[in-house]
Amino acid sequence: VRATGATNMNVHSSRSHALATVTLHQLLGDAADPEGSRRRITSKFSFVDLAGSERVKRTQAEGTRFKEGVSINQGLLALGKVISALADKEKHEGSKSHVP
């Protein structure tokens, strides 16, 4: 469920993040092949909808909307740290690193 709320910048401002993952399994090759030379390929698609970062001066948010904006910004910061750590981990494959 997507949560929205009005700010001075956007009447339908997204107030939540959403993530959906679709995994697709394919069998390639001839099913009638007695040797069983079929090959399995797995693909993974991730769809992400992020709430936009909030600038209090621009949105002029107060009360609940202000608290939501702070929470959204904290979530985006944490997500950025995770993405950076994962990207760094791929560069240094085999080394142990912490992903927040």
Side-chain angles (χ1 to χ4, degrees):
V1 175
R2 184 172 178 257
T4 61
T7 68
N8 282 355
M9 289 188 62
N10 185 350
V11 176
H12 301 289
S13 179
S14 179
R15 313 309 291 168
S16 61
H17 307 307
L19 172 67
T21 302
V22 175
T23 303
L24 177 66
H25 301 284
Q26 295 175 303
L27 288 174
L28 302 177
D30 186 2
D33 183 359
E35 304 267 328
S37 62
R38 296 185 77 186
R39 189 166 62 113
R40 182 182 181 130
I41 295 177
T42 301
S43 302
K44 184 176 177 181
F45 299 90
S46 295
F47 301 93
V48 180
D49 176 22
L50 299 175
S53 65
E54 299 280 324
R55 298 274 188 262
V56 175
K57 281 185 177 181
R58 296 176 114 182
T59 63
Q60 297 178 348
E62 297 176 341
T64 302
R65 290 285 174 260
F66 173 78
K67 289 178 184 177
E68 288 173 347
V70 169
S71 181
I72 288 167
N73 288 343
Q74 288 174 336
L76 290 171
L77 177 62
L79 180 62
K81 288 181 178 181
V82 169
I83 290 169
S84 292
L86 289 172
D88 207 33
K89 187 176 182 180
E90 288 178 5
K91 289 179 190 173
H92 306 290
E93 199 169 312
S95 67
K96 292 185 179 183
S97 62
H98 173 72
V99 178

